Amino acid sequence: MASSLFLLLLLFPLTTTSTPSHQTLISTPLQDYPTLTPLLEQTLTHTSDPSSLHLPISHHDSLHFTSNLTSSSLLLLRLNRDSSRVSSLHSLLGLPRHSNRSFVSPIVSGLSYGSGEYFTRIGIGTPPTQSLFVLDTGSDVVWVQCAPCRQCYNQTGRIFNPRKSRSYRSVPCTAPLCHRLDLPGCDKRRQKCLYEVSYGDGSVTTGELSTETLTFSGGARIGRVVVGCGHDNEGLFVAAAGLVGLGRGSLSFPSQLAHRYGRQFSYCLVDRTSSGAPPKPSSIVFGSGSVSAGIAFTPMVRNPKLATFYYVQLIGISIGGAPVSGFAESDLRLNRKTGRGGVIVDSGTSVTRLAHGVYVAVRDAFRAGTAGLKRTAGGFSLFDTCYDLSAHSEVKVPTLAMHFAGGAVVALPPENYLIPVDTQGTFCFAFARTDSGVSIIGNIQQQGFRVVFDADRERIGFVPRGC
C-alpha cells in the first residue's frame, strides 16, 4: 500500500495550481423536455469535406417526443437502464453481476433499456432504409432487425427487409468472416453463417451474418460492411433498429473501416437537459478528421482477457483543486493477469462508476467542499448525495478534475457532476460506486467534450467545449 501511495504522489502532485478551487453552477431545476423533430424526419446537412464522415447523434430521451412522462420520470428510467447496462458490462468482463479520410454523422438521444444511450441515423441497403442505430463503444458487432421477424421488438421506422435490397449478401459458413465471430453458427441447409450476440442483461439478437451497403449523411456510401441481420431480437432493446459496435474487436465498425479511414473516431455528446439556447448538435466523426492538433491524450490500456473495451489509466481525482486522498492508484489499475479492475471509457453508461473505496473518498471530499449547501435527507436512485438548491439561482461548488496517465487532465464543468433530478431544485452528485472493481467513465461526465478514440496510436483524448 505504501509503495502504491508513493507512486500516486509521484504521478499526481499534492498541489494542482492550474485548477481553481471552485466554479459557479447555474442551479436551474430539471425542465420538461421540449418537443423535438424525430431524427428520422430531420433534414440532415451535408459536410463539405469529402474525406470525412460525419454522423448526427441524439440522446435516447428525444425518442420520447410524444411521451407524457415527466423529465424526472425519464431520468429515473435512464438510471434504471444504466444499472442494466453496467450489469451487462460486468457480465462480459466475467465479474459478479454484471488513411487520410474521415466522415461525420449527427447523434441523437433517447430512452431505452440496456444497449446504450445515444443514436445516429444510417441508411441500410440499396435503396437505403433509414434507421436509428445505438452507438456502443462496449460491443463489437453491427446488427439490425430484419424482416421476416420471428421475434422483434418495437422500433422507430420501418424494419429492414433484405429481400428488397440489391446490395445484401449472405456470408457463407466457410467464409473467413464467419470464423471471426466469437460463436459462429451455420445453417447447413442453406450454407449461411449465423451469428448470436448475448448481452449481460438477458437481451439477445440472432440471425444471418451478411454484408451490406450503409449510407450516411452527406451522401457517403460504404459497401460490404459486415452486418448481423437479426430475425430474433429479444430483451430490453427499444426504439432503435439495431446497434453499431464501436469497440476494439475485429468486426467492430471502426475496425471494418480501418483500411479506408484508419481506426480513429471521435464523438461529442451534448447535454439533453441543458437550458437556454438550443445546444449545438452532437456528432460522431470517423477518420483523420476526428483527430486535431493540441489534444491532451492518455494511452489506451489493453485488457488481454477481453479486447472490446477502451481502458485508460486514471491515476487520481482532484476536488477543489486538491488531490483526493484515501485510496491508492492500484485501486484504479487493471489487473492484466485476471482482467479485473481498471477504468473503461463507455458511451452507453450514463453515470460514472468508481470502485467502492475510490468513490467513498471522492464523495466525502465533495461533501466536505459543499458543507455550506443544504443536503437533502435522502438520495435519488443511484445517487446518495443530493442538495436542495431551490432557494438559489446559482451556487459555488468545488471543482472536480480527473487526472490520467500521460498528463491528460479532464476538468469537468459543474453541470457534469452536480445535476438536477426534479423540477423542485434537487441536485445530486452524479457519480456512483461499484463493488465489481472495474470503474466506468459514463456519458454524463463526457458531455460537452469531444472524446477521441485513436486506436491507430493506442490513445484517447478529451477536448473541452468540443461540440
Side-chain angles (χ1 to χ4, degrees):
M1 175 67 76
S3 61
S4 297
L5 288 172
F6 180 67
L7 177 60
L8 176 61
L9 293 177
L10 289 177
L11 294 171
F12 187 38
L14 284 174
T15 59
T16 313
T17 57
S18 61
T19 304
S21 62
H22 288 77
Q23 55 188 336
T24 300
L25 171 72
I26 306 300
S27 50
T28 304
L30 196 63
Q31 304 293 308
D32 286 329
Y33 300 138
T35 299
L36 298 179
T37 303
L39 184 64
L40 285 176
E41 300 176 10
Q42 292 177 14
T43 300
L44 301 181
T45 58
H46 287 213
T47 175
S48 59
D49 181 2
S51 68
S52 296
L53 186 55
H54 296 247
L55 305 179
I57 307 177
S58 288
H59 188 271
H60 247 139
D61 296 353
S62 65
L63 298 184
H64 282 266
F65 55 90
T66 60
S67 173
N68 292 322
L69 292 174
T70 65
S71 54
S72 186
S73 297
L74 288 175
L75 178 60
L76 275 173
L77 284 174
R78 182 181 184 182
L79 296 176
N80 289 337
R81 288 196 316 277
D82 213 42
S83 295
S84 296
R85 166 71 177 191
V86 170
S87 293
S88 177
L89 296 182
H90 290 170
S91 293
L92 288 171
L93 290 163
L95 298 170
R97 208 43 208 168
H98 96 210
S99 118
N100 192 27
R101 299 178 178 178
S102 55
F103 66 88
V104 181
S105 177
I107 302 179
V108 182
S109 101
L111 277 178
S112 159
Y113 282 90
S115 299
E117 286 289 330
Y118 284 87
F119 293 81
T120 192
R121 186 176 92 176
I122 300 173
I124 181 166
T126 307
T129 299
Q130 295 298 324
S131 304
L132 292 181
F133 286 81
V134 173
L135 295 169
D136 185 12
T137 59
S139 60
D140 290 324
V141 176
V142 180
W143 62 266
V144 65
Q145 292 203 115
C146 286
C149 275
R150 289 188 293 271
Q151 175 73 43
C152 284
Y153 56 86
N154 292 329
Q155 69 172 64
T156 300
R158 291 185 292 120
I159 292 178
F160 172 63
N161 188 342
R163 295 176 181 175
K164 296 183 178 180
S165 171
R166 297 190 301 272
S167 50
Y168 180 88
R169 300 289 184 273
S170 296
V171 173
C173 297
T174 55
L177 282 176
C178 187
H179 296 284
R180 287 164 64 182
L181 291 167
D182 290 335
L183 296 171
C186 180
D187 182 333
K188 293 183 179 180
R189 183 176 64 85
R190 297 185 299 161
Q191 284 300 301
K192 292 184 176 181
C193 181
L194 304 179
Y195 83 95
E196 176 176 320
V197 179
S198 299
Y199 297 88
D201 57 13
S203 301
V204 62
T205 173
T206 62
E208 295 176 357
L209 196 67
S210 67
T211 61
E212 187 53 289
T213 296
L214 303 185
T215 303
F216 303 87
S217 63
R221 288 170 58 84
I222 301 176
R224 298 189 57 78
V225 178
V226 181
V227 177
C229 191
H231 297 287
D232 191 340
N233 315 290
E234 306 174 42
L236 300 179
F237 305 118
V238 174
L243 182 145
V244 175
L246 299 173
R248 303 181 72 179
S250 64
L251 286 179
S252 75
F253 192 54
S255 295
Q256 291 194 56
L257 300 186
H259 68 285
R260 182 171 178 178
Y261 295 104
R263 293 184 303 152
Q264 302 169 335
F265 70 94
S266 69
Y267 58 65
C268 197
L269 310 176
V270 169
D271 182 4
R272 179 70 178 83
T273 65
S274 57
S275 58
K280 295 180 180 179
S282 302
S283 66
I284 186 167
V285 184
F286 293 90
S288 59
S290 62
V291 181
S292 59
I295 301 174
F297 285 98
T298 186
M300 289 182 185
V301 177
R302 187 172 293 277
N303 186 344
K305 301 294 184 179
L306 190 62
T308 298
F309 297 108
Y310 293 96
Y311 283 85
V312 291
Q313 182 58 61
L314 179 65
I315 61 174
I317 297 174
S318 59
I319 299 287
V324 176
S325 59
F327 66 91
E329 183 263 346
S330 58
D331 294 335
L332 294 166
R333 189 189 307 132
L334 173 69
N335 185 322
R336 294 175 183 272
K337 291 184 178 180
T338 65
R340 297 186 176 226
V343 180
I344 296 167
V345 180
D346 184 45
S347 66
T349 300
S350 291
V351 177
T352 291
R353 303 308 208 279
L354 296 175
H356 191 157
V358 180
Y359 171 74
V360 170
V362 170
R363 179 202 63 191
D364 290 352
F366 186 79
R367 285 179 175 178
T370 54
L373 300 180
K374 181 181 179 181
R375 285 262 309 278
T376 61
F380 180 92
S381 185
L382 305 175
F383 307 134
D384 64 9
T385 300
C386 299
Y387 301 86
D388 178 2
L389 303 183
S390 58
H392 306 275
S393 59
E394 60 180 50
V395 292
K396 292 287 187 182
V397 295
T399 55
L400 190 155
M402 295 184 287
H403 300 252
F404 296 91
V409 178
V410 178
L412 300 181
E415 58 270 17
N416 284 30
Y417 56 91
L418 193 58
I419 67 170
V421 298
D422 60 27
T423 58
Q424 283 75 51
T426 304
F427 285 67
C428 294
F429 184 56
F431 284 73
R433 81 182 196 192
T434 175
D435 294 320
S436 73
V438 62
S439 299
I440 306 170
I441 298 175
N443 60 49
I444 289 177
Q445 283 65 46
Q446 297 175 47
Q447 286 172 354
F449 290 85
R450 180 154 293 280
V451 185
V452 181
F453 297 81
D454 184 1
D456 286 334
R457 301 181 67 177
E458 296 280 317
R459 59 186 186 169
I460 293 179
F462 300 86
V463 185
R465 298 175 296 280
C467 295

